[in-house]
Amino acid sequence: MTTPNTDAKSSPTSSRALRDWVKEVAALTKPDAIVWCDGSEGEKNRLTKQAVAAGILIELNQEKRPGCYLHRSNPNDVARTEQLTFVCTPKKIDAGPTNNWSDPVETYAKLRGWLDGSMRGRTMYVVPYVMGPLGSPLSKVGVELTDSLYVVLNMRIMTRMGMAALEQLGESNDFNRGIHCTLDLNPERRLICHFPQDNTIISVGSGYGGNALLSKKCFALRIASVLGRDEGWLAEHQLILGLQSPDGETTYISAAFPSACGKTNLAMLTPPAEFKDWKIFTVGDDIAWMRVGPDGGLWAVNPENGYFGVAPGTSAKSNLNAMKMVQHDTIFTNVAMTPDGDVWWEGMDVPPPDGLLDWQGRPWKKDSGVKAAHPNSRFTTPMRNNPAWSPSADDPRGVPISAIIFGGRRASTVPLVLESIDWTHGVFMGATMGSETTAAASGAVGVLRRDPMAMLPFCGYNMGDYFAHWLEIGNKAEPGKLPKIFYVNWFRKDEGGRFLWPGFGENSRVLAWVFERCAGRGAASETPIGLIPPVDGEGIDTDGLDVSAEDMAELLNVDVAEWKAQLPQFRAHLAQFENLPPELHEQLDALENRLG
Ligand code: OXD
Ligand code: MN
């Protein structure tokens, strides 16, 4: 519906607060038109046509990839910009040492200046959306106002968007307010600002997913983590999967890994032939909202409705389900294009055809030494496209979580899998986890950074308080119902730099051990850093696995000297949190004692 104004008569919402806010933002940004998105197929078709006509989307080969389009970003706008991302709380201490902070009054004033008249000559789209299953008590409503058609079409995939959201909102004023304006994509006027006290986000100057699809990192993590702190639940950077054993028993596992460490691959992995009786179903691939349920256990929903996955490295071997799901109704961003209008990226396991255009649309040469697809190129796909999609993703109750896995990219030190001694030790493992950086955020790649619970760029408040909140959740749950906490590392290398573990589908062997531990069965050996599967084969099922006994021993080796060498880093990392809960200091002391 296109309207030049936001009167009750012409807007489809019965929420007066929403009408007033849309009116207020329109008065500031002065768009030529306002379009309220209804989420219908007709709307999708109309907006897609407009996007193609405007050159925002390129239609791909509709025979090979029906419903698929390619978007090429401005080359200066291809990843999250953490240095331009701010948490604007009245008190700086509430943003904590890991967030950029700016004063809310000054920041609002500056942004208002930039937004004034910024949508002149443009359309302002009103995108109402629900995060979480419709009608779930765990769900939340957000509304994004944006001048970007690309954002609207992506939001349509990533969230439950349109009339359903207005229905869920009803007359309420309880919704996240997100204002997004691309301005002129000038990095000098790019800012992603969060005002948790007002449940508000203002993002300007970027069209990149993590900066511009405000439902995702901005609302479902940074703002939602604050809502979770205040309302007693957790908003986490975690996938959720259902693991079905050969007996048909399903256990739900969530897992936190930093960006581009394989969450999407793990969430929908295909077990190898020897493991074909195990099945994996995807509930979510990036975000989990978790709450202690009436039974005292931890229940989780995936607030999203689609996947915004990293394309390079995705292949039939690494993620067959992803290759199938991006076959139709997918928006690709910054991948390479073949002469017949198909897509290509590095690591697809298909040789690049002649005549390829790179992610910027330039002819690409095989030996040029430059990548054809941007390393952070993406696909946006509806979650129902995934052959492994779990219908429990739509269950308003969520799913009961039996295990939480933390992990990162570590070439050394960290064993293939480790189980925490108890919840508090698990929180300590999450608080001190580290990973070598990737291309999902701008900045150096391959540097070890401590990324607590994979939330470093996404926790909207002081991380010291966040750790305390995790401990409180542990106290709130029934002790016997709390998930077990694990730590995995698929990326360990030998001295020559060779990966010791094949990863991908074979990771299901590790999940099977986790499953058995949760069922109170699998064997485990105690070490100073936690419990690991015994090396003698009682632990990880290695039947049919092409990994030597020496490599297996190395993968599960706990080198006390290496761990001792890490203690000063742990101490320095934890020291930055003034209000660190004493339990975590105690955990560090206890680890030091156990290491001797
Ligand atoms: C993502 C990210 O896009 O973590 O999910 O960067
Ligand atoms: Mn992510």
Side-chain angles (χ1 to χ4, degrees), residues 329-571:
D329 301 301
T330 293
I331 299 174
F332 295 92
T333 302
N334 296 336
V335 299
M337 189 168 87
T338 68
D340 65 344
D342 201 0
V343 291
W344 189 87
W345 49 78
E346 279 75 14
M348 195 190 229
D349 275 355
V350 175
D354 290 335
L356 201 63
L357 295 181
D358 76 3
W359 63 278
Q360 298 188 64
R362 302 170 306 193
W364 180 80
K365 300 245 167 6
K366 280 187 190 136
D367 306 321
S368 61
V370 296
K371 303 248 188 260
H374 187 276
N376 191 35
S377 54
R378 300 274 179 154
F379 51 78
T380 320
T381 302
M383 65 177 176
R384 286 165 194 78
N385 275 21
N386 171 11
W389 176 66
S390 165
S392 59
D394 272 338
D395 190 331
R397 294 168 308 170
V399 295
I401 299 294
S402 300
I404 298 176
I405 299 180
F406 294 122
R409 228 172 240 278
R410 293 296 300 274
S412 66
T413 316
V414 179
L416 177 62
V417 58
L418 174 69
E419 179 187 325
S420 76
I421 301 162
D422 57 21
W423 180 264
T424 309
H425 178 229
V427 172
F428 170 78
M429 286 186 343
T432 51
M433 71 191 246
S435 189
E436 285 132 25
T437 51
T438 67
S442 40
V445 168
V447 179
L448 177 68
R449 81 167 177 179
R450 297 275 153 208
D451 186 349
M453 279 87 168
M455 283 288 279
L456 184 69
F458 306 124
C459 180
Y461 64 102
N462 192 311
M463 272 204 139
D465 297 336
Y466 168 75
F467 301 142
H469 184 55
W470 264 79
L471 295 174
E472 268 160 38
I473 295 285
N475 291 333
K476 232 172 143 174
E478 282 282 321
K481 293 270 175 70
L482 267 176
K484 283 181 176 289
I485 300 182
F486 298 82
Y487 196 125
V488 302
N489 177 24
W490 318 131
F491 301 94
R492 195 154 169 170
K493 292 180 178 169
D494 68 5
E495 277 168 6
R498 175 181 60 97
F499 283 111
L500 291 166
W501 180 248
F504 306 119
E506 303 295 359
N507 293 340
S508 47
R509 297 173 186 270
V510 175
L511 297 183
W513 183 72
V514 166
F515 179 100
E516 293 298 335
R517 292 294 299 159
C518 292
R521 293 186 293 256
S525 313
E526 277 181 31
T527 79
I529 60 167
L531 300 158
I532 59 164
V535 191
D536 60 11
E538 281 296 295
I540 306 273
D541 183 342
T542 52
D543 204 24
L545 177 69
D546 190 16
V547 173
S548 69
E550 295 76 53
D551 282 357
M552 212 52 221
E554 181 54 25
L555 278 161
L556 294 171
N557 182 33
V558 177
D559 184 323
V560 170
E562 270 178 9
W563 277 88
K564 275 187 172 169
Q566 287 212 90
L567 292 172
Q569 293 172 30
F570 282 2
R571 234 172 248 293

Side-chain angles (χ1 to χ4, degrees), residues 80 216-217 221 237-238 257-260 263-264 285-287 304 308 378 440 454 458:
R80 284 184 291 101
K216 195 172 180 58
K217 304 305 186 181
L221 289 176
H237 192 206
Q238 297 191 7
F257 297 87
S259 306
K263 279 206 303 297
T264 304
D285 80 326
D286 195 42
I287 299 178
E304 300 190 283
F308 181 63
R378 300 274 179 154
F458 306 124

